[in-house]
Each structure stands twice: as structure tokens, then as C-alpha cells.
Amino acid sequence: MSAIELVGGRPVAIVGAGLVGAGWAIAFARAGLTVRIYDSNQDTADASLPWAAEQLEALHKHGLLGDAPDTVKRRLTVVQTLEAGLDGCAYVQESVLERVDVKRKVMLEIERLAADDLIVGSSSSGIAASAFANDLTISPRVLIAHPVNPPYLVPVVEIVPSTQTSPQAVIFVDALMQAIGQSVVHVRKEIEGFVLNRLQAVLLREAWALVRDGVASCEDVDKTVRDGLGWRWSFMGPFETIDLNAPGGVADYAARLGSLYYSIAKSRTGEGPWEPELVTRVEAERRQYLPATELASRRAWRDDRLMSFAAIRSRSGSHE
Amino acid sequence: MSAIELVGGRPVAIVGAGLVGAGWAIAFARAGLTVRIYDSNQDTADASLPWAAEQLEALHKHGLLGDAPDTVKRRLTVVQTLEAGLDGCAYVQESVLERVDVKRKVMLEIERLAADDLIVGSSSSGIAASAFANDLTISPRVLIAHPVNPPYLVPVVEIVPSTQTSPQAVIFVDALMQAIGQSVVHVRKEIEGFVLNRLQAVLLREAWALVRDGVASCEDVDKTVRDGLGWRWSFMGPFETIDLNAPGGVADYAARLGSLYYSIAKSRTGEGPWEPELVTRVEAERRQYLPATELASRRAWRDDRLMSFAAIRSRSGSHE
């Protein structure tokens, strides 16, 4: 089913129109959906439209829009109240501040205003839905739909139900996300960091430890990933990578290298938090490669590279 | 300096002509060097030439060869003896079996036959050079030059000196590798797994633990990386990624997320080796996505994707 069919022709709402929420607005509008944008700070909501227009132009240049940028832009409307945002909506993507009390407050407001069948996805990157969405009439219809930024470029989205989310809500959000072109990962337990940030966390911890111990510089760690490991991971993922890296597949790989990897893991079990002195050292090394004044332009470079990457992937098929 | 200037017009030698050694032969020949290929198993050495010819055709099709495939192929010669291989050579890339006794034996032979200025790089992916190359007359001229497979596609190479390697040897191999187009990472201590496999190891351990605990399927872990984390890592590396992901750069990122990442790391300190039952489960899941009979064809798919990726990178500049 198309995204429009899934929502029965009804609009979707964005609540919280910062970088994440505004990014979601583009992802939904690109798929043909009518999108209402609300933010408790009216300036934030207003600023999202010209920003989205710029992104749509860039997407168009990279061949990543099916419709004309103006056509997609016309699907976006800023509304003044949460009530106006939710009226008649089939789905709302909540992207407010990452704080339990703030998210709980929004859920209480949504409960008061929403239609009986509204489904609520939260962009929370770390807080589990059970911490702010339970024991409400809407609880069976709330879950986490955690994107990578920006969601209209990097397709992965983690769906994490709370202890009270209904299977129907999970099925709906899975279908909607796939219909707008996202790649859905089901996280089946409310574990800290979900899957994506856990995987990033362990790699980062080893990276910091290698720099701390004088084994390699930050730049050499970055090279190891961007000129080595990252190539395969950008189209295969870690399990497929090792499955293809031993003659007999993944079990063969585990037999050959499991003990080495266990030994490496054991060597790090006594680690503490990142020391302030180490953070200072890493910051200093990064600033040699990229002065603080160039952070913004480098982010623009990154987004341009991600658009090129997305364009290549959309031509070659994501996994075939 | 060009690679040819660096070796003073002399040949380089490949000792051990399996997949790794034959891959190196292509990387050197592509850069204009004359390459002698030796393997103690004559059949292995002979088989490397037609295989290399196929790879050169594929590289040519992807626009990754400066010269005609035949021109590059003519730079490759199989020799019958190690003595003939090393005669007059400036550099030898050792890629024999990953076993201390086998590597030690080859080093003793090289010591007996080599010119006084021969530099020796070993493709060892895990064994430190000090374990097999110390206390020889050639020891100051031996170091690890560990590639990712295949080295003519994925550019990273880890240079790891032994406790007896001279700085001059490190400088020479660094220059030679850069001249043939590799991306050099300096590993400054002989740590288990060097840098690349340590980073892979920690991510894999978390991936296996998530599957074991029922948090996510293998396929969903793979999606998280190939449709999420891997995109940025394929052109930025982990430090640059987080440096751009907080308004104030990497120190700001550490202040915001350091405690979450420490908490995630602490949650895994009691982990044991991968259990046989878990290995069986992962193997079974992978075989649902890829039957064992299709492993070989999927490897060909992977190599084609890597060639496309290399072609894109060579057009866009590796890091600009």
C-alpha cells in the first residue's frame, strides 16, 4: 500500500519542529502526505518552512524527489495550536526535547486532543516509551520511531514499542515507514541506546581507548573506518560482512575468530568513563583537522555527501 | 615521489600468492611496479595470473585502471624460487599462512637470500611482527603492512612496526603505500587485533549480544548499520562523525553523551565467549537470507559493489 492509502488520505502531524521534526516533515511530504507542523515555539515552526524548501531544492538536484520541489512544499503547513495540528490526523511524529518530563507533558496533551485512532511515533533516541507514554488511553498507540538525522536521507528507523504498545500500532508504523521509504529495524526490548546507539557506543569506546593508550591518532582511527571497515558496512552490515569473510559462512567465521574477539573484549572490561584530559586531547586533535569556525561548512559538506550517497543507493537498489 | 621512483626502478616481490598476496600484486602492478610472484606451492602461484587478469578487466570496466589491463598484467611474473623472487628487489610483501612458525621460517629464508636494503612488509592480520621477525639481521627492515581484502579496492593499510623495526623502514613503507594509492594508518603499539580488527571486534560483540538477548534479529542489526551508521562511516570515520554531531564539536558531544556510552559499555563487562548455541542460531538466520550455495555469488556481488564504491570515491576525492 502507498503511504496515502495507509493513512486513508488523512494528514500527518509533526510535533516539535526542530532539526529532527522538520526532517521528518520532508520525509512524509516527499511520499505525498499532507503534513501539519506544530511547535510550542512559533518561530521554530515558522523557520522550518524555508529550511525545508532549501532541502527540497537540494534533494531535487540530486534526483531524490519524484515531484517538483514546490509541489512537495505545498504539502507542508504550519499550524498555531496542537489541536489544529492533530485534527483529523492519522499519525503524529513527536520530536520534542529529549527529556522525560517534556515528552510526558506532550503525551498528556495528545491524549486530551487526539482522535481515538491516532497513532503516535516518538523520535526519542534514548528514552524508552514506557518512561513517558504508559498508563494513558493512548498508550497502546504510542511507540518509538527513532530516526538517524536527517531521516529523508539516511533511511534507518528503529521501532521500539513500550510495554503497553499494541501489535497493531507496531504493524501500522512499520508499514507507514516502509511506504515512505525508510528501512525499519524492530527493537524488541527497551534497552538503553536501542540498537543503533549501542553499536555506535561500543565502537566509539574502543576508538577513544586506542587514542588514550597512544595506539593510534584520532585521524588514523577515522581512516581505518572511512577507508576500510565503513566501505562494506555501508551496504552490507556486520553479519553479512563476516558471513562472506569465511569460506563456510558465519559459523565458520566464529570458529576461526571468536576467541580473538573474545580476547579483545576481555581486554577492555575494566574501563572507566572518558577522562576529561582525554576529551581535551581528542578535541585538540580534531581542531587541528577542522577549526571550530569550519564546523558548519563541514556539516554542509557531509549532507552533500549523504545526498550523493542516497542518490547512488536509490539507483542501485538498497540491497540488491 | 612515484612508486617507481621510491623503489629506484627495482621490482617488488610477493611471497605467498593466495587471495591476499595476489591482491597485493594487482595493487603494486597497477601503480607501474614490476612484480615477481612466488609461492611455495607452484599451483597457487600459477593460478594467481589468470585470476589477476580477470580482476584487471573488472577494474578497467569500472574506470579504476590508468593503463590497459594487458599492460598491467605484463608487469606480473611468476617465479619458481624465492631466490629468483627476491633478486634485486626493493620490497617484498609477505602473505603466507597466518601462523608464527610459518612466518618465522619465511623470515629466516628472506634473511639468507635478501639484499642488504630489502624492506619486508607482512600482511599479518593478527600476529605482531615481534613474534616472528626479531633478532635477525633483517629485523630493522621488517614490519606489518596489514591490508583489508582486496587491497586494490579497499585502500586502508595498517603499518605496525615490531620492537626492532627502524624508523626508516616505517617511513619507506608509508611512502610506498601512499604512492600506490593506499590509505596508511600507523599503529604505534603491537596491540592484539591492531586497530581495524579491534574496532570490528567490539561492534561484532555487541551485535552478537543483541541477537542472543532477543533485542534484534541479525538482519535488523545489519540494516541498522548498512542503512544507518555505515553511511557516515563510509566517508567520515567515527571521530569526525561525532565532531559534526554536536553543536560545539567532539568535546561537546562527549559532555552530552559520554555518560550514556559509559553506561552501555558497563552493561557488557561480564560477557563470555560466543556460545555454540548462539553461533548455530545466527548461522541459521543468515542461511535464511543467503543459502550456503549462494555464498560465492554473493561474494562476487560484494566485490562488484566495492568496485562501484571505489570508482565513486576516486571521482569525488577520498576525503574532500
Side-chain angles (χ1 to χ4, degrees):
Chain A
M1 279 172 95
S2 74
I4 297 170
E5 289 168 330
L6 280 165
V7 297
R10 292 154 68 187
V12 299
I14 300 296
V15 173
L19 208 57
V20 177
W24 273 118
I26 292 174
F28 289 120
R30 179 172 57 179
L33 300 181
T34 301
V35 181
R36 303 222 193 98
I37 302 171
Y38 170 74
D39 197 290
S40 59
N41 182 330
Q42 183 71 37
D43 292 344
T44 303
D46 289 340
S48 71
L49 286 187
W51 176 84
E54 273 177 38
Q55 300 306 309
L56 290 168
E57 283 299 334
L59 287 167
H60 174 68
K61 272 188 202 134
H62 282 86
L64 290 165
L65 276 190
D67 301 310
D70 274 352
T71 306
V72 179
K73 198 191 161 190
R74 276 194 294 273
R75 296 175 190 143
L76 304 173
T77 317
V78 168
V79 295
Q80 318 294 318
T81 64
L82 181 60
E83 188 168 9
L86 298 182
D87 184 40
C89 273
Y91 179 75
V92 55
Q93 183 77 37
E94 171 273 302
S95 308
V96 302
L97 194 65
E98 189 85 355
R99 247 173 52 194
V100 173
D101 58 330
V102 175
K103 290 202 184 278
R104 179 68 179 182
K105 187 160 165 276
V106 168
M107 290 302 143
L108 288 167
E109 291 173 23
I110 291 175
E111 178 180 51
R112 189 168 57 82
L113 298 167
D116 285 351
D117 60 352
L118 177 74
I119 305 281
V120 183
S122 167
S123 300
S124 167
S125 67
I127 307 173
S130 297
F132 60 82
N134 276 8
D135 304 321
L136 302 170
T137 58
I138 59 170
S139 297
R141 292 178 274 120
V142 183
L143 47 68
I144 305 292
H146 170 232
V148 166
N149 250 333
Y152 55 87
L153 284 180
V154 185
V156 77
V157 59
E158 294 182 286
I159 292 185
V160 197
S162 77
T163 54
Q164 298 181 355
T165 305
S166 74
Q168 290 80 0
V170 171
I171 290 166
F172 175 82
V173 178
D174 177 296
L176 179 63
M177 289 297 161
Q178 292 200 50
I180 68 166
Q182 305 305 112
S183 172
V184 175
V185 167
H186 288 280
V187 183
R188 299 194 160 85
K189 294 182 182 172
E190 291 187 299
I191 190 171
E192 190 168 27
F194 308 144
V195 169
L196 187 138
N197 278 325
R198 290 188 77 85
L199 294 172
Q200 178 162 233
V202 293
L203 186 129
L204 278 172
R205 281 199 68 75
E206 182 62 28
W208 284 78
L210 289 167
V211 171
R212 179 197 63 202
D213 298 344
V215 175
S217 65
C218 297
E219 175 62 11
D220 276 0
V221 169
D222 272 359
K223 271 190 202 170
T224 305
V225 175
R226 74 170 185 254
D227 297 332
L229 290 168
W231 285 40
R232 296 182 294 209
W233 286 345
S234 71
F235 63 91
M236 292 198 296
F239 280 110
E240 179 158 26
T241 297
I242 65 174
D243 196 30
L244 300 181
N245 265 2
V250 67
D252 187 21
Y253 188 92
R256 288 164 188 252
L257 287 159
S259 63
L260 169 67
Y261 287 178
Y262 179 42
S263 176
I264 289 172
K266 274 193 299 186
S267 73
R268 295 294 189 204
T269 50
E271 302 283 303
W274 299 334
E275 299 289 341
E277 181 273 336
L278 173 62
V279 172
T280 305
R281 196 144 61 86
V282 167
E283 170 77 14
E285 192 190 325
R286 279 298 307 158
R287 293 291 74 78
Q288 283 176 26
Y289 282 91
L290 187 70
T293 52
E294 292 173 23
L295 276 164
S297 61
R298 190 71 176 171
R299 287 191 189 104
W301 165 87
R302 172 198 63 195
D303 291 345
D304 188 68
R305 290 294 293 253
L306 285 173
M307 285 208 189
S308 301
F309 196 86
I312 292 155
R313 282 276 295 253
S314 77
R315 284 197 299 272
S316 65
S318 68
H319 193 52
E320 300 313 318
Chain B
M1 279 173 92
S2 74
I4 297 170
E5 288 168 329
L6 280 165
V7 297
R10 292 154 70 185
V12 299
I14 300 296
V15 173
L19 209 55
V20 177
W24 273 118
I26 292 173
F28 289 119
R30 177 172 57 178
L33 300 181
T34 302
V35 181
R36 303 222 193 95
I37 301 170
Y38 170 75
D39 197 290
S40 60
N41 182 331
Q42 184 70 39
D43 292 343
T44 303
D46 288 341
S48 71
L49 286 186
W51 177 84
E54 273 177 38
Q55 300 307 310
L56 290 168
E57 284 298 335
L59 288 168
H60 174 68
K61 271 186 203 138
H62 282 86
L64 290 165
L65 276 189
D67 301 311
D70 274 353
T71 306
V72 179
K73 198 191 162 191
R74 277 194 295 273
R75 297 175 189 142
L76 304 173
T77 318
V78 167
V79 295
Q80 319 293 318
T81 64
L82 181 58
E83 188 167 9
L86 298 182
D87 184 38
C89 275
Y91 179 77
V92 56
Q93 183 77 37
E94 171 272 303
S95 308
V96 302
L97 194 65
E98 188 86 354
R99 246 173 53 195
V100 173
D101 59 330
V102 176
K103 291 205 184 274
R104 179 69 179 181
K105 187 161 165 275
V106 169
M107 291 301 144
L108 288 167
E109 290 172 22
I110 291 175
E111 178 179 52
R112 189 168 57 81
L113 298 167
D116 287 350
D117 60 352
L118 179 74
I119 305 282
V120 184
S122 167
S123 301
S124 167
S125 67
I127 308 174
S130 297
F132 60 82
N134 276 8
D135 304 321
L136 302 170
T137 58
I138 59 170
S139 297
R141 291 179 274 120
V142 183
L143 47 68
I144 305 293
H146 169 231
V148 167
N149 250 333
Y152 54 86
L153 284 181
V154 186
V156 77
V157 58
E158 294 182 286
I159 292 184
V160 197
S162 77
T163 55
Q164 298 180 354
T165 306
S166 73
Q168 290 79 3
V170 172
I171 291 166
F172 174 82
V173 178
D174 176 295
L176 179 63
M177 289 297 162
Q178 292 200 49
I180 68 166
Q182 305 305 111
S183 172
V184 174
V185 167
H186 289 280
V187 183
R188 297 194 161 86
K189 294 182 182 173
E190 290 186 300
I191 191 170
E192 191 169 27
F194 308 144
V195 170
L196 186 138
N197 278 325
R198 290 189 77 86
L199 293 172
Q200 178 162 232
V202 293
L203 187 130
L204 279 171
R205 281 198 69 75
E206 182 61 29
W208 284 80
L210 289 166
V211 172
R212 178 197 64 203
D213 298 344
V215 175
S217 66
C218 298
E219 176 62 10
D220 276 0
V221 168
D222 272 359
K223 270 189 201 170
T224 306
V225 175
R226 74 169 185 255
D227 297 333
L229 289 168
W231 284 40
R232 296 183 293 208
W233 285 345
S234 72
F235 64 91
M236 292 199 296
F239 281 110
E240 180 157 25
T241 296
I242 65 173
D243 196 30
L244 300 182
N245 266 0
V250 67
D252 186 21
Y253 187 93
R256 287 164 189 254
L257 288 160
S259 63
L260 169 67
Y261 287 178
Y262 179 42
S263 176
I264 289 172
K266 274 193 299 185
S267 73
R268 295 294 189 203
T269 51
E271 302 283 302
W274 299 335
E275 299 290 339
E277 182 273 335
L278 173 62
V279 172
T280 304
R281 197 143 61 87
V282 167
E283 170 76 13
E285 192 190 325
R286 279 298 308 158
R287 293 292 74 78
Q288 283 177 25
Y289 283 91
L290 187 71
T293 51
E294 292 172 23
L295 276 165
S297 61
R298 190 70 175 171
R299 287 190 189 104
W301 166 87
R302 173 198 62 195
D303 291 345
D304 187 67
R305 290 294 293 253
L306 285 174
M307 285 208 191
S308 301
F309 196 86
I312 291 155
R313 282 278 294 253
S314 77
R315 283 197 300 271
S316 66
S318 68
H319 193 51
E320 300 311 320

